[in-house]
Amino acid sequence: MLQDLQLASDEGPVYRRLADAIAERITAGTLAVGDRLPPQREIARALGINVTTVTRALSTLQQRGLLEARPGRGTTVAARDGGEGPGFVSAPSEDTGVIDLSVNRPATSAYLDALALLLPRLSKDRHYATLQDYHPPEGPLWARAAIAEWMRPAAGDGDPGRVVLAAGAQHGLDCVLGAVTRQGEVVLADEVTYQGINALCRVHGLDLRGVAMDRGGMRADAFEAACAQLRPRAVFLVPTLHNPTTITLGEERRHELVAVARRHNVLIIEDDVYRPLADSPPPSLASLEPELTVHIGALSKCLAPGLRLGFVIAPRAIAGQVAAALRINCWSISPLTALIGARLIEEGSAARIIEAQKQELRQRQAILTEILGRYDVQSHATSTHAWLRLPEPWRGAGFARTCLERGVAVLPGDAFAVGREPVQHGVRINVGAARSLDDLRTALNTMAELLAAGHLQLPGFV
């Protein structure tokens, strides 16, 4: 099972190299779900290391969700789902008895209410007859014009020729990477960031590297050093209400990062899907450096993820490349989706939905502050989520598992980690995901009880 186990020869701590070696065997299937590991003393003796090192390595793997330890059963390989990685969740849990705070979803039914009023009128729309036809890969001109005008204050100067419509921001990001990168190139991102970029970089054969952050976001000096050393093709940033930390880059930090990108000719991929929810956000990166920035947005976070309407705003040459990649991918998005989105924007319904969402989120963030405010929580009044940095002795994966045992689902920091370096011990809490304010209170009170109990509630504690 662990015969001939070889530790990497790098300078990393022995416990981490041991954890990585065991993790590789789990990934390869050499260690299957349910397999019991040898006693820690046997592992230590076989490798010529001390038992404390083995204990720390196995604890690390428990935090990653790869192993589980139970009294009387020893340490076994944990069952895993078929997702992209730890905690990669794309739809709310339907399990009864679980309050799911792991997925971003609308905090109100405002979108459904507006849609119910719109649908009976669509057959009278002047563009209705075109819904049965093929459309250009960048999307119908009338829909791109609506998006371009809506986004004029932030990006693109109202030019529909710079807009490509996509089936959500993730689809847009996929097409951007397919258009502007080549296999093996380096892409930089915050050391903790939106987990979808990890999966896409793997699919495209890109080398995703994390850049150090502080509480203001990506550090400009760390970005500069990474550019000099790695010569990246692009940097991926979520500048407004960052996922998962809720950080909004200040205007000065934005200028600093843009200056570094300009010096090293690094393309900026700006994922700004949360921007419509922010109160008076700083200028977008696309407005500061329009010729070096690809701006990605969507109606998912501000209206509803089920609408599946995203967009890419880029310099015309890059927009053409993105459209070509999208044509290969799916020819073009559904014109029905484009028509619904365009009408909601042009009739003012989108603005009203966003305002309703923000009002509800303010209530929910106030509840979060009331219950968890004494802990290290980073949030924003109109953010869909919050970032809880865990106190000792909690670790991200262990806390998330214990919450789930108590009927609350959250995402651990591991789900947002770039690379294999140690991550912040935290969890993302999606306040908008709770079905009601009462459910949110129940879930947050459960988390507060666990945080207060500390080591007495650690999973596998004996």
Side-chain angles (χ1 to χ4, degrees):
M1 181 182 294
L2 294 181
Q3 293 90 343
D4 303 320
L5 191 68
Q6 298 292 323
L7 305 190
S9 57
D10 59 39
E11 297 181 356
V14 176
Y15 84 89
R16 193 181 304 154
R17 286 186 278 150
L18 174 57
D20 288 343
I22 296 174
E24 288 175 3
R25 295 210 170 184
I26 293 173
T27 301
T30 306
L31 286 171
V33 172
D35 281 352
R36 182 181 299 177
L37 270 62
Q40 294 181 17
R41 291 188 181 280
E42 289 186 17
I43 299 174
R45 186 166 50 250
L47 295 174
I49 58 180
N50 61 54
V51 175
T52 302
T53 299
V54 176
T55 300
R56 192 173 181 186
L58 299 189
S59 176
T60 298
L61 292 171
Q62 288 180 58
Q63 293 164 17
R64 295 185 195 175
L66 297 178
L67 297 179
E68 58 184 0
R70 296 182 182 178
R73 291 185 54 195
T75 301
T76 60
V77 178
R80 291 170 292 156
D81 58 32
E84 293 289 344
F88 194 102
V89 181
S90 59
S93 171
E94 296 182 359
D95 293 345
T96 57
V98 174
I99 301 174
D100 192 347
L101 305 185
S102 68
V103 176
N104 269 322
R105 61 178 302 276
T108 76
S109 62
Y111 165 72
L112 292 177
D113 297 339
L115 185 62
L117 295 175
L118 175 64
L119 288 179
R121 299 187 284 111
L122 280 188
S123 63
K124 306 298 182 183
D125 192 276
R126 65 186 184 277
H127 299 301
Y128 181 75
T130 70
L131 298 186
Q132 66 179 346
D133 297 327
Y134 284 113
H135 289 265
E138 61 269 25
L141 177 60
W142 43 264
R144 289 185 288 119
I147 293 292
E149 184 61 29
W150 188 52
M151 291 300 298
R152 180 191 290 271
D157 298 326
D159 179 6
R162 297 181 60 182
V163 177
V164 179
L165 301 183
Q170 178 77 354
H171 182 220
L173 179 56
D174 183 19
C175 293
V176 168
L177 293 176
V180 304
T181 65
R182 292 180 295 178
Q183 187 171 1
E185 289 185 320
V186 173
V187 174
L188 302 179
D190 292 306
E191 59 187 349
V192 174
T193 194
Y194 164 61
Q195 66 262 54
I197 187 66
N198 278 291
L200 286 178
C201 283
R202 286 198 300 271
V203 168
H204 288 280
L206 300 171
D207 184 4
L208 182 65
R209 301 291 189 94
V211 179
M213 307 168 66
D214 57 24
R215 294 200 177 219
M218 181 179 287
R219 286 170 31 202
D221 62 330
F223 181 32
E224 180 92 56
C227 288
Q229 178 183 358
L230 301 172
R231 302 179 64 84
R233 174 68 180 98
V235 59
F236 172 81
L237 291 165
V238 184
T240 309
L241 301 180
H242 177 268
N243 183 9
T245 66
T246 78
I247 294 169
T248 292
L249 293 174
E251 186 168 352
E252 182 179 356
R253 181 70 61 93
R254 293 179 186 229
H255 280 283
E256 291 171 352
L257 294 173
V258 163
V260 174
R262 191 181 293 125
R263 279 196 294 274
H264 295 274
N265 194 32
V266 176
L267 184 71
I268 300 169
I269 301 175
E270 179 181 30
D271 185 342
D272 217 12
V273 294
Y274 295 98
R275 184 179 185 85
L277 293 173
D279 293 322
S280 303
S284 70
L285 301 172
S287 68
L288 300 180
E289 180 49 85
E291 296 308 311
L292 201 59
T293 303
V294 175
H295 184 96
I296 298 175
L299 303 185
S300 302
K301 302 303 184 291
C302 59
L303 299 191
L307 182 56
R308 305 314 307 144
L309 182 59
F311 49 87
V312 176
I313 301 177
R316 276 182 171 260
I318 294 179
Q321 295 174 307
V322 174
L326 190 145
R327 182 176 185 272
I328 295 170
N329 183 284
C330 68
W331 193 272
S332 67
I333 72 162
S334 165
L336 177 59
T337 297
L339 183 57
I340 291 172
R343 287 296 160 264
L344 291 175
I345 289 171
E346 291 176 338
E347 295 177 0
S349 297
R352 290 189 290 272
I353 295 168
I354 291 169
E355 187 55 39
Q357 303 281 34
K358 291 170 70 172
Q359 289 180 10
E360 178 71 12
L361 289 169
R362 286 189 180 95
Q363 291 187 65
R364 294 178 177 229
Q365 289 287 355
I367 292 172
L368 176 107
T369 299
E370 172 194 333
I371 297 174
L372 296 182
R374 64 184 180 277
Y375 296 102
D376 189 356
V377 179
Q378 193 155 356
S379 63
H380 185 277
T382 56
S383 175
T384 63
H385 55 278
W387 179 245
L388 169 65
R389 291 180 175 86
L390 296 167
E392 288 286 353
W394 287 111
R395 301 294 182 264
F399 185 74
R401 284 199 307 276
T402 307
C403 284
L404 189 58
E405 291 170 1
R406 298 295 189 90
V408 179
V410 292
L411 276 184
D414 305 62
F416 305 95
V418 173
R420 298 169 67 177
E421 293 303 309
V423 299
Q424 298 177 19
H425 292 299
V427 293
R428 187 186 72 180
I429 305 169
N430 290 88
V431 297
R435 300 290 178 177
S436 68
L437 297 182
D438 286 342
D439 275 0
L440 180 62
R441 282 187 176 278
T442 297
L444 295 178
N445 279 321
T446 297
M447 296 174 68
E449 291 170 4
L450 292 174
L451 291 169
H455 71 278
L456 297 177
Q457 295 295 331
L458 277 174
F461 183 81
V462 180

